[in-house]
Amino acid sequence: MKVLNLQCAHGHGFEGWFASQDAFDTQLAGGLVECPMCGDTAITKLLAAPRLNLGNAKAPVETPPARLPATDSPEARWLRAVREVIAQTEDVGERFVDEARKMHYGEAEERGIRGQATPEQARSLAEEGIPVFTLPLPAALKETLQ
């Protein structure tokens, strides 16, 4: 199993697990490796220090522990916020515009919804006084995470 440190063209760092270097290369060439933050497929492998297991080597010199990536990075906060929105809203898909109007005009019960709307449809809703906002979702978050 190869664990690789990867980064997209937008600077989002993440870890990828692959059966081998060949598996990574094949998936990368096929556009199958994508950033979990933004869905970008322009991925580069970052340099990583190899771990050597030297059975009879001397005990390592005491060094300060490596600094782990901040768990409260902007990317981590964004992912938590997006997951919270997904957990607390109903995906109405292409019915979003109709459902938003029905709720606004009292024809349907108010609830949190999410779905698809074109930029023109979103402008039209805003002009009617219906608050909407765009939230791009990476493909990895649109499916059930395991």
Side-chain angles (χ1 to χ4, degrees):
M1 182 64 63
K2 297 284 278 185
V3 179
L4 303 175
N5 292 323
L6 306 172
Q7 187 175 46
C8 75
H10 302 286
H12 302 129
F14 60 98
E15 196 173 80
W17 292 45
F18 301 90
S20 65
Q21 181 65 44
D22 288 338
F24 167 71
D25 293 337
T26 301
Q27 290 180 36
L28 184 66
L32 300 175
V33 181
E34 67 178 39
C35 174
M37 295 296 300
C38 64
D40 186 9
T41 56
I43 305 299
T44 56
K45 182 172 72 168
L46 301 177
L47 295 177
R51 181 182 184 281
L52 302 175
N53 189 5
L54 304 174
N56 293 329
K58 296 178 187 175
V61 176
E62 194 81 22
T63 58
R67 185 169 180 242
L68 296 175
T71 56
D72 207 29
S73 68
E75 291 88 0
R77 288 192 306 269
W78 181 79
L79 274 176
R80 278 196 307 274
V82 169
R83 285 185 176 134
E84 187 76 18
V85 167
I86 290 172
Q88 295 184 10
T89 57
E90 175 187 349
D91 186 1
V92 295
E94 294 178 1
R95 299 186 340 258
F96 177 78
V97 174
D98 293 333
E99 290 294 320
R101 282 193 174 112
K102 286 178 186 177
M103 287 188 304
H104 182 72
Y105 294 112
E107 299 170 9
E109 179 184 337
E110 285 200 24
R111 64 197 191 281
I113 62 171
R114 67 182 189 285
Q116 293 86 42
T118 66
E120 295 80 22
Q121 290 171 323
R123 274 193 294 279
S124 175
L125 290 172
E127 289 169 1
E128 291 179 49
I130 304 170
V132 296
F133 67 93
T134 301
L135 180 64
L137 297 178
L141 288 181
K142 292 179 184 175
E143 300 173 4
T144 303
L145 297 176
Q146 296 186 18

